[in-house]
Amino acid sequence: MDFNCEGKIDSYYRDLNLEDATASVRFRCDGVEYTRRVFTSFSDNVMVVEMATDKGNKTLDVDLRYACSLTSEVKSEGDYLIMKCNGAEHEGIPAALHAVVMMRVKSDGKIECKDGRLSVRGASSATVFLSAATNFVNYQDVSANESKRVDVILNQVGKKSYRQLLDSHIGKYQQQFGRVKLDLGHSL
């Protein structure tokens, strides 16, 4: 994720919220505040990155691309940036797993998907949806269609608002991890 901000950057802040499993970043560039909030939803099988500028400034310019240490191929297909990668041979056993990662963006700015990158220009906000799937069915069967799996996920996610995705994520996360509270008190 490369932000095209060439001005002075200040007021940098980041946090990891363990109550709702979100990570946030905030900074100012040439007087405009940029925010980014990220969560990976177990309930919807998707990573969501919400980016915005303050006061509706249409100055959000960002390039998104993949980096993978496995043998991979990246291509643009419509408004999707797709990476296909193959597992690696291990201890003489040939790789049988294949994975597909798909990324799509919703934004009020101009979106362009080509040359191995997804670009957003002149936006006040953008939401990135990223999902992945493999051909793994079970230990004897690796015949699943990984492309179809991830396409189904992103089509379902595309029918939901950001708020619905966030609420679903928080509900599932808190159901699983919000069963215990620990209070360490206050220090002097």
Side-chain angles (χ1 to χ4, degrees):
M1 188 177 295
D2 298 318
F3 287 91
N4 297 323
C5 175
E6 297 179 14
K8 180 182 181 237
I9 296 175
D10 59 30
S11 303
Y12 185 83
Y13 170 83
R14 66 180 176 185
D15 72 25
L16 173 62
N17 185 324
L18 297 179
E19 292 292 317
D20 64 10
T22 61
S24 300
V25 173
R26 181 175 67 236
F27 63 91
R28 295 186 74 74
C29 179
D30 280 344
V32 176
E33 184 173 87
Y34 293 82
T35 59
R36 181 173 66 230
R37 187 175 190 190
V38 181
F39 62 91
T40 303
S41 174
F42 183 66
S43 57
D44 290 294
N45 294 314
V46 67
M47 175 187 277
V48 180
V49 181
E50 177 75 336
M51 299 175 281
T53 61
D54 67 342
K55 302 174 193 154
N57 285 303
K58 296 217 174 235
T59 56
L60 179 62
D61 292 340
V62 63
D63 293 318
L64 307 160
R65 62 187 144 195
Y66 296 114
C68 181
S69 60
L70 297 171
T71 303
S72 62
E73 170 193 353
V74 176
K75 66 179 183 173
S76 305
E77 209 171 274
D79 60 348
Y80 288 95
L81 187 61
I82 302 167
M83 178 176 63
K84 294 183 178 187
C85 56
N86 298 315
E89 172 270 333
H90 185 71
E91 295 180 1
I93 300 170
L97 292 180
H98 308 288
V100 169
V101 183
M102 288 184 171
M103 180 188 322
R104 188 177 76 213
V105 175
K106 286 184 182 178
S107 176
D108 62 350
K110 182 182 179 217
I111 300 170
E112 186 175 55
C113 190
K114 69 176 191 176
D115 300 329
R117 100 177 99 207
L118 212 161
S119 301
V120 177
R121 296 287 181 266
S124 63
S125 67
T127 306
V128 180
F129 304 96
L130 184 82
S131 191
T134 69
N135 62 326
F136 180 85
V137 176
N138 62 46
Y139 290 104
Q140 286 81 36
D141 185 358
V142 288
S143 65
N145 183 330
E146 61 275 14
S147 295
K148 186 175 182 181
R149 282 179 160 180
V150 76
D151 192 48
V152 166
I153 292 167
L154 286 178
N155 281 327
Q156 290 171 344
V157 164
K159 297 173 186 173
K160 297 182 179 183
S161 69
Y162 173 80
R163 188 78 235 174
Q164 288 171 315
L165 291 167
L166 180 62
D167 289 347
S168 175
H169 157 70
I170 292 171
K172 184 73 170 178
Y173 173 79
Q174 289 180 345
Q175 175 187 11
Q176 199 161 16
F177 296 101
R179 297 174 290 179
V180 174
K181 296 278 186 203
L182 176 64
D183 183 354
L184 299 176
H186 299 281
S187 63
L188 298 175

